[in-house]
Amino acid sequence: MPLGIKAAQGFDDPHEPESWGAGLELIEEQILTRAPDVARFPQPLRALTRLTARSTTLSRQGARVLRYRF
């Protein structure tokens, strides 16, 4: 079985992958409910996403977009 993250699994600390390889560095963490792309969601989903984004607790439980660099 290959190493890595399996579907529907993640990690709690976005800096964890930095320990997997030398030179890997987290450069951006964005909470999906607050991403600019939300404006392109269909209206019902956009409204739900905007409501969720108002709660720090709820929005942090959602997906995050992480960007790394080597």
Side-chain angles (χ1 to χ4, degrees):
M1 182 169 191
L3 298 174
I5 299 173
K6 299 174 189 159
Q9 290 185 341
F11 41 85
D12 293 328
D13 180 7
H15 293 280
E16 181 181 329
E18 293 175 331
S19 67
W20 300 346
L24 188 61
E25 175 187 9
L26 177 66
I27 58 171
E28 181 182 10
E29 176 184 6
Q30 187 174 52
I31 299 170
L32 188 58
T33 57
R34 297 180 183 165
D37 295 337
V38 169
R40 293 186 283 178
F41 287 3
Q43 198 286 325
L45 180 56
R46 187 172 58 239
L48 178 62
T49 303
R50 296 281 188 215
L51 285 172
T52 303
R54 292 182 182 201
S55 166
T56 303
T57 303
L58 289 176
S59 64
R60 297 254 342 138
Q61 290 176 356
R64 294 176 289 177
V65 178
L66 304 172
R67 286 184 44 211
Y68 295 90
R69 98 172 127 216
F70 287 95

